[in-house]
């Protein structure tokens, strides 16, 4: 799967690795139970709920998507520690070129394993990567029962506010952001 990135984006969201179904479909977060697209909208990052096929539209909002490890697997637990470590080196090299303001890791597991910060928790991190501020949001996988949709959106909202981005669900007075399914 291709990264959805560009130079000097406001926030690049960093997943652990592509899921098999998303890799086959060729679009990020395209499994039915994944809550990434609803979380982005409910937190104000996007004006309406995007569909996976609209992922490139994130670039117009200063947002991007990438993964720590590029190999698709059924579960992140299928990855080896060495893959995480190589992924960290690869991510660092890519971010040195792209220079985003923020990197938002989707879940603590990938960040902890790849960068060795065993005590990392969700929220802002003291470390930077290639000059980018680092924030960890909960993993939006439908398997992450620790964060129901409203709590997930609150965590994403905290990142959006810290990054200084507007609430894009609040369009100009009288404007219609369009239906939630993007049609």
């Amino acid at each position: 799967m291709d990264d959805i990135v560009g130079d000097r984006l406001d926030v690049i969201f960093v997943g652990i690795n592509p899921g098999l179904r998303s890799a086959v479909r060729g679009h990020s977060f395209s499994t039915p139970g994944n809550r990434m697209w609803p979380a982005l909208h409910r937190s104000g990052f996007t004006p309406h709920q995007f569909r996976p096929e609209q992922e490139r539209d994130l670039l117009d909002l200063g947002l991007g998507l990438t993964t720590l490890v590029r190999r698709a697997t059924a579960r992140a637990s299928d990855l080896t520690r060495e893959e995480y470590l190589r992924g960290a080196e690869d991510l660092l090299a890519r971010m040195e070129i792209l220079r985003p303001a923020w990197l938002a890791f989707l879940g603590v597991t990938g960040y902890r394993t790849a960068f060795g910060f065993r005590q990392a928790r969700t929220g802002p991190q003291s470390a930077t990567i290639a000059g980018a501020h680092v924030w960890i949001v909960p993993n939006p996988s439908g398997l992450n029962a620790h964060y129901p949709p409203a709590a997930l959106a609150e965590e994403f909202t905290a990142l959006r506010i810290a990054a200084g981005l507007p609430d894009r669900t609040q369009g100009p007075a009288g404007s219609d952001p369009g239906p939630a399914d993007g049609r």
Side-chain angles (χ1 to χ4, degrees), residues 85-159:
L85 296 175
R86 284 193 310 270
E89 291 174 7
D90 179 50
L91 181 70
L92 178 60
R94 289 183 281 140
M95 294 310 116
E96 287 284 351
I97 295 166
L98 297 173
R99 308 304 284 180
W102 290 83
L103 286 176
F105 285 83
L106 303 174
V108 296
T109 301
Y111 182 74
R112 285 177 181 166
T113 306
F115 294 97
F117 294 110
R118 302 277 181 236
Q119 302 305 313
R121 303 278 183 257
T122 57
Q125 307 301 302
S126 59
T128 60
I129 296 176
H133 300 284
V134 176
W135 192 287
I136 300 174
V137 293
N139 191 318
S141 168
L143 300 175
N144 186 0
H146 299 292
Y147 287 91
L152 187 63
E154 286 178 23
E155 295 284 334
F156 275 66
T157 299
L159 166 62

Side-chain angles (χ1 to χ4, degrees), residues 6-157:
D7 291 335
R8 302 199 182 276
L9 294 174
D10 295 313
V11 179
I12 295 179
F13 293 93
V14 183
I16 295 173
N17 73 311
L20 292 177
R21 292 174 92 185
S22 291
V24 167
R25 292 180 178 138
H27 297 289
S28 303
F29 307 105
S30 63
T31 55
N34 197 290
R35 300 172 303 165
M36 179 67 167
W37 301 112
L40 286 175
H41 175 57
R42 289 182 73 173
S43 63
F45 275 107
T46 61
H48 62 273
Q49 186 173 315
F50 285 15
R51 295 183 317 272
E53 300 81 22
Q54 295 174 299
E55 62 192 356
R56 296 204 71 75
D57 293 345
L58 290 172
L59 294 172
D60 294 335
L61 302 174
L63 307 173
L65 300 172
T66 191
T67 57
L68 186 57
V69 177
R70 295 177 181 263
R71 181 171 75 93
T73 61
R75 290 174 301 282
S77 61
D78 294 338
L79 299 172
T80 66
R81 185 173 187 282
E82 291 74 30
E83 285 178 295
Y84 279 105
L85 296 175
R86 284 193 310 270
E89 291 174 7
D90 179 50
L91 181 70
L92 178 60
R94 289 183 281 140
M95 294 310 116
E96 287 284 351
I97 295 166
L98 297 173
R99 308 304 284 180
W102 290 83
L103 286 176
F105 285 83
L106 303 174
V108 296
T109 301
Y111 182 74
R112 285 177 181 166
T113 306
F115 294 97
F117 294 110
R118 302 277 181 236
Q119 302 305 313
R121 303 278 183 257
T122 57
Q125 307 301 302
S126 59
T128 60
I129 296 176
H133 300 284
V134 176
W135 192 287
I136 300 174
V137 293
N139 191 318
S141 168
L143 300 175
N144 186 0
H146 299 292
Y147 287 91
L152 187 63
E154 286 178 23
E155 295 284 334
F156 275 66
T157 299

